[in-house]
Amino acid sequence: MGEKILLAHGSGSKLSHDLISKVLAPPIMNPVLARMDDSAVLELSGRLAFTTDSYVVNPVFFPGGDIGRLAVCGTVNDLSMSGAKPICISLALIIEEGLDIDDLQRIMTSVKDTAAEAGVRIVTGDTKVVERGKADRLFINTSGIGLIEGGADISGSNARPGDKLILSGGIGEHGMAVMSRREGLRLSLPVTSDCAPLNHLVSSMLSASKNIHSLRDPTRGGLAATLNEFARQSDAGIMIEEDKIPVHDGVRGACELLGLDPLYIANEGKLIAAVAEADADKVLEAMQKNKYARQAAIIGEVTGEHRGRVVMKTGIGSSRIVDMPVGEILPRIC
Amino acid sequence: MKFIDEFRDPGLARRLADKIAQISTRPARLMEFCGGHTVAIMRNGIRQLLPSQIEMLSGPGCPVCVTANRDIDRAIALSLSPEAIITTFGDMLKVPGSYSSLQQARAAGGDIRIVYSTQDALQTARDNPGKPVIFLAVGFETTTPTVASAILQAERDKINNFYILCNLKMTPPAMRALLELGEVRLNGIICPGHVSTIIGTGPYQAYARDYGVACVVAGFEPVDILQAVEMLIKQIEEGTARVDIAYTRGVRPEGNIRAQELMRDVFDPIDACWRGIGDIPRSGFKLKDKYDRYDAALRFDIELPPVKEHAGCRCGEILRGVIRPCDCGLFGKACNPENPVGPCMVSSEGSCAAYYQYGVFNG
C-alpha cells in the first residue's frame, strides 16, 4: 500500500513543507510561484477578467480526465468565455485524510499538463487537510485572471435577433462519462469526458470575427441551461434544430437507457457562441480547424419571437419548448 | 442509432400524420394510459401533427403519481426509523406526502439511497448485513417481476435484512375503473408498451368488447405513437373496437409468460388505493403469505400521522383525464417542478411535469 495523506500533512509542520516541496510545487513551478511569498505579485495592465470556481467531482478520476484537469480547464474556460486571454490561476486543495499520495501526484501531473496546454501559470496556492469524512478525497478551488484585448465585449446579454448559434461539438460527454463511473450504475460506455481548455479555440474565433456577441461553456445544466440564460439575459428568443445538434452515439444510447436528455447533461470542453449572421461561416470555419471543435455546427439562431424562451424544432417537424433544467437529474422509474 | 432512428424518421412521421388527417372524418377522443407515452407525445410535439378533432388525453399511467399520500407517508416514516436504509428509484425522492418528502427526510438524517434496479437494492442489503434495507417497490407490471425475482434471490441466498414496502400496482383494473366511471367518453386507448410486453394483450380484450373502445398497444418513439393513432382512427372510422398491436417488436399477444409466472409465484392480488381514483379491487400486489417476512409494512410497526391532501391540487382529476394539467389553478404557479404540490409535477412521467417542461407550443 502506498503512502497516504495524514492530517499532519496540513499542519504547517515539516511534513507539510515536504508535501509542498516534493509533491505539489515541482510540477507547476514557475518564477512567480518560486518566491513562495504570501501572495503572487503580478505586473498587469488593461481590462482584466477575474473568476473563481470549485471542483468536487466524484469520482476524482473519470474516463477522459480527472479533477486536476477539470479544475484548470474550468477556470481557463470561464475566463475565455468573457473574451479574456487567461494569464494565471491559483490552485487551492482541500484534501481528505487518507488520500493516496500517488493519486495526488497523478492529479498534479495532470494540472501541470493542462496548464501547459492552455499556456497559463499557477502563481499561488494553498493546501488544507481535513479529517476523514469531512471531504470526499479531494476538493479543488481555482481562481483565474485574464486579459481582455482589443475591446472585446462578449456577454450573455449581447445576443441579437438574427445571430447564428454555433456549438463547438457533441454534447453530454462529460456528464455521461462521470455518471458511468458512479457507484451503483456500473455502465461501460464508449464515452470519455470532453474536458479541455478552450482558450486557443476562442482566440482563433476572436481573430476570425469582431462580431461574436455571446460565448458560454455549457457545463452543469447542459446546453439547455446555457441557451435559456442567453434568451433571458438578452431578452430574445432562441430557435434550435434537434437534427443539427451533434451527439455522440454512446451518449445518445446511455441517455435513452436512463431516460435522460443530452440537452441537460454537463459538458466541460464545449462552447456555444452567438455570432452575427454575416460572420457565422467564417467563425465556424476557424473553429473546425481546432482539435476541440472539429464537429462544430450551426445549430440555430436568435430570433425576435418568443422572447426569453428556447424552442426546438424536433426531428419529426414539430416544435417544443426547451426549459431550464430543474433540480437533480434523476433516472426514470420504469 | 439502430432500432431508434428508424422510429424517429421525419418522412415516415409526416406520411403517417398525413394518412391520419386523410382518414379522420369525425371527432375522436383517445387516451394514452402510460406516463411514458405522455412524455413522448409532449416531447415530440405529436399533437401538432394531428387534426384538431383528435383529442389526446393523458391517463393514470405514472406509478409514482398514483401512489396514495398514505403510502408515501409510510415510506417517509420508515425512512426516519434509526438503522434502516431506504432504497428507492430517484423519482420518489421529491414526491410530497402529507407533510414532507423523502428528500426532506434525507436532509433530516434518513439514510435514503437512490438505486437504479432492484438488484442494486438487494446488493445494498448484502453490503449492510447488520441493518434492515427496505426497497420502496413502486411500479406496474414492468417493475413487479424484477421485485419478485429479488425476493426469490433473497430467499435463496438467505439475505434476511432485505424488505420491500410494496406499492406495486396492476394496470388493467385501473383502465377498467376509468371506463366504468364514464367521466370521459373514450373512443380509443393507446395501451402501454412495456406493461404489455409483460402481460400481453389478453386483459384489454374486455375493454374493446364491453365498452366498445378501440385499443392499440404502442411503442415510445414518434413513429410508434403516430402508427398507433392511425390504427385507432381506422378502427373508430370503421366503427369497430378490437385490440391491435402497433409495437410488434416489443409485444406478443401472450406477453412474457416467465415474468407472469414469477409475479404469480411471489405475489397475490389485493385491493389498492389509487390517487384520484380511490380503492380499486384486486389492483395491487401483495407478497404471498410464505414471503411475508420480507414485507416492511408488517415487520416495522410505525405510527402514521393523519393523511392530509393538498388544498387546490387537482392531480386526481388529471390522472383520470377529466382535466388537463393547464386547467389546474396551481399549474405553473404555486405548483412547478421546483416546488411541486402534487406528484404529477414531480415524476419524470407525470403529466404535469411533461406539460410544464414541453408545454405552450404543444397547446
Side-chain angles (χ1 to χ4, degrees):
Chain A
M1 196 165 56
E3 225 182 320
K4 291 185 184 294
I5 291 288
L6 308 174
L7 272 179
H9 279 115
S11 67
S13 63
K14 176 163 184 312
L15 217 50
S16 312
H17 283 102
D18 285 353
L19 181 70
I20 293 168
S21 64
K22 291 189 180 140
V23 177
L24 300 177
I28 55 173
M29 194 44 80
N30 60 68
V32 182
L33 186 65
R35 294 168 61 102
M36 289 289 169
D37 285 331
D38 281 355
S39 17
V41 177
L42 308 165
E43 301 269 355
L44 296 170
S45 67
R47 282 172 74 213
L48 299 179
F50 176 45
T51 188
T52 187
D53 209 338
S54 300
Y55 301 86
V56 296
V57 64
N58 165 32
V60 293
F61 296 100
F62 47 81
D66 57 71
I67 192 169
R69 181 167 174 80
L70 191 66
V72 176
C73 291
T75 289
V76 163
N77 292 348
D78 281 350
L79 291 171
S80 307
M81 298 310 136
S82 306
K85 178 175 178 245
I87 303 294
C88 57
I89 64 175
S90 68
L91 180 80
L93 309 176
I94 296 173
I95 309 173
E96 186 191 21
E97 173 188 21
L99 181 72
D100 283 331
I101 291 187
D102 284 350
D103 283 348
L104 193 57
Q105 236 148 5
R106 269 175 72 194
I107 290 164
M108 287 310 297
T109 306
S110 170
V111 166
K112 174 193 81 169
D113 293 343
T114 312
E117 182 186 350
V120 293
R121 289 185 299 179
I122 292 151
V123 293
T124 184
D126 181 51
T127 310
K128 295 282 188 299
V129 180
V130 297
E131 294 96 328
R132 195 175 271 277
K134 301 283 157 118
D136 189 2
R137 300 190 72 192
L138 175 65
F139 296 157
I140 300 184
N141 173 277
T142 53
S143 298
I145 295 176
L147 203 52
I148 300 176
E149 291 166 335
D153 179 21
I154 292 171
S155 158
S157 16
N158 289 353
R160 294 170 212 166
D163 283 359
K164 293 289 177 193
L165 292 163
I166 312 179
L167 176 67
S168 69
I171 56 170
E173 290 161 21
H174 177 73
M176 288 323 297
V178 171
M179 211 179 288
S180 72
R181 291 302 153 98
R182 284 271 164 90
E183 194 185 346
L185 198 69
R186 304 170 294 271
L187 275 181
S188 123
L189 289 183
V191 177
T192 54
S193 167
D194 57 350
C195 183
L198 299 177
N199 53 323
H200 301 309
L201 172 64
V202 170
S203 154
S204 65
M205 292 166 70
L206 293 173
S207 308
S209 165
K210 298 264 175 282
N211 296 304
I212 295 174
H213 298 148
S214 310
L215 269 180
R216 197 156 288 175
D217 53 337
T219 53
R220 275 178 309 173
L223 184 62
T226 301
L227 290 174
N228 272 284
E229 286 160 12
F230 280 2
R232 286 175 201 189
Q233 281 180 260
S234 298
D235 190 28
I238 295 227
M239 174 61 89
I240 53 171
E241 291 183 49
E242 189 169 28
D243 291 345
K244 302 268 170 73
I245 301 171
V247 187
H248 184 285
D249 264 356
V251 172
R252 277 185 71 193
C255 281
E256 289 297 334
L257 199 66
L258 296 169
L260 301 174
D261 187 337
L263 285 173
Y264 294 93
I265 311 291
N267 311 275
E268 287 293 346
K270 294 291 160 9
L271 64 79
I272 175 93
V275 181
E277 188 180 3
D279 284 4
D281 288 335
K282 219 163 43 177
V283 173
L284 181 66
E285 203 178 309
M287 289 174 75
Q288 286 169 340
K289 287 187 186 137
N290 183 288
K291 68 172 169 178
Y292 294 126
R294 298 257 186 265
Q295 276 193 291
I298 295 176
I299 62 159
E301 60 186 22
V302 182
T303 94
E305 291 161 43
H306 52 82
R307 287 174 183 273
R309 284 280 199 183
V310 180
V311 175
M312 181 163 81
K313 274 196 196 123
T314 68
I316 59 165
S318 56
S319 343
R320 69 163 162 101
I321 298 259
V322 175
D323 206 350
M324 271 285 186
V326 179
E328 286 175 86
I329 307 255
L330 301 170
R332 66 178 163 209
I333 187 164
C334 71
Chain B
M1 206 177 344
K2 210 163 157 44
F3 304 125
I4 287 191
D5 290 340
E6 298 89 323
F7 298 95
R8 292 179 186 170
D9 181 71
L12 200 50
R14 174 52 52 199
R15 283 198 293 283
L16 279 165
D18 289 347
K19 178 95 181 288
I20 292 166
Q22 235 171 52
I23 61 173
S24 163
T25 65
R26 67 194 86 184
R29 187 180 277 163
L30 313 181
M31 175 182 275
E32 80 275 359
F33 183 89
C34 171
H37 282 145
T38 304
V39 172
I41 288 167
M42 296 305 290
R43 186 173 164 179
N44 293 295
I46 300 273
R47 282 205 180 91
Q48 296 163 39
L49 304 178
L50 299 177
S52 57
Q53 69 222 27
I54 299 179
E55 191 184 353
M56 304 276 285
L57 300 176
S58 306
C62 157
V64 170
C65 306
V66 294
T67 302
N69 262 7
R70 166 154 298 270
D71 294 325
I72 292 164
D73 291 345
R74 186 174 289 117
I76 292 168
L78 270 177
S79 76
L80 290 171
S81 52
E83 292 299 298
I85 298 173
I86 302 290
T87 52
T88 177
F89 294 136
D91 279 29
M92 284 297 285
L93 214 59
K94 282 195 282 184
V95 179
S98 297
Y99 304 95
S100 71
S101 65
L102 284 168
Q103 184 171 247
Q104 285 163 316
R106 186 166 72 174
D111 189 347
I112 301 169
R113 305 182 188 181
I114 293 179
V115 291
Y116 300 92
S117 77
T118 47
Q119 287 301 314
D120 292 344
L122 202 56
Q123 188 58 42
T124 307
R126 286 193 190 99
D127 295 343
N128 296 275
K131 293 180 166 191
V133 172
I134 303 165
F135 176 65
L136 303 184
V138 170
F140 295 132
E141 292 92 335
T142 33
T143 312
T144 306
T146 69
V147 181
S149 154
I151 294 289
L152 294 179
Q153 282 177 60
E155 182 83 354
R156 191 193 62 208
D157 300 345
K158 302 193 169 42
I159 302 173
N160 52 21
N161 62 327
F162 179 69
Y163 303 91
I164 65 166
L165 185 64
C166 191
N167 289 301
L168 298 165
K169 290 183 170 62
M170 299 177 200
T171 38
M175 290 167 78
R176 178 178 282 276
L178 281 191
L179 292 169
E180 197 56 43
L181 273 171
E183 285 174 302
V184 284
R185 300 278 313 149
L186 297 178
N187 304 103
I189 296 179
I190 297 179
C191 296
H194 296 147
V195 163
S196 305
T197 303
I198 305 292
I199 66 173
T201 54
Y204 311 134
Q205 302 295 343
Y207 313 141
R209 190 186 59 226
D210 301 348
Y211 301 93
V213 179
C215 293
V216 175
V217 179
F220 294 87
E221 298 302 330
V223 166
D224 285 320
I225 293 169
L226 286 166
Q227 190 194 356
V229 171
E230 190 245 342
M231 289 165 76
L232 283 170
I233 296 299
K234 213 173 189 174
Q235 284 193 42
I236 293 163
E237 293 292 334
E238 285 167 0
T240 56
R242 61 173 184 274
V243 182
D244 287 336
I245 303 176
Y247 192 26
T248 47
R249 69 185 185 286
V251 176
R252 284 170 303 188
E254 71 278 16
N256 181 331
I257 305 287
R258 175 82 191 99
Q260 291 167 20
E261 283 168 0
L262 257 180
M263 292 195 284
R264 270 198 302 274
D265 286 349
V266 175
F267 295 104
D268 281 328
I270 187 177
D271 299 353
C273 180
W274 293 59
R275 182 190 302 270
I277 306 176
D279 287 325
I280 304 178
R282 296 171 70 82
S283 67
F285 290 97
K286 166 190 172 296
L287 282 165
K288 279 187 184 298
D289 289 347
K290 63 176 168 176
Y291 297 119
D292 67 6
R293 66 180 167 284
Y294 298 102
D295 189 338
L298 295 177
R299 162 71 172 71
F300 299 93
D301 192 19
I302 39 171
E303 255 181 61
L304 290 182
V307 175
K308 199 180 87 190
E309 298 299 335
H310 306 287
C313 173
R314 300 180 73 182
C315 277
E317 291 157 276
I318 290 165
L319 288 166
R320 299 200 301 275
V322 178
I323 63 166
R324 298 210 297 178
C326 32
D327 301 327
C328 173
L330 304 183
F331 179 79
K333 297 177 194 122
C335 183
N336 56 63
E338 266 147 7
N339 291 297
V341 176
C344 299
M345 188 57 96
V346 182
S347 169
S348 58
E349 306 210 329
S351 300
C352 297
Y355 275 69
Y356 185 93
Q357 193 173 7
Y358 305 123
V360 191
F361 273 72
N362 285 293

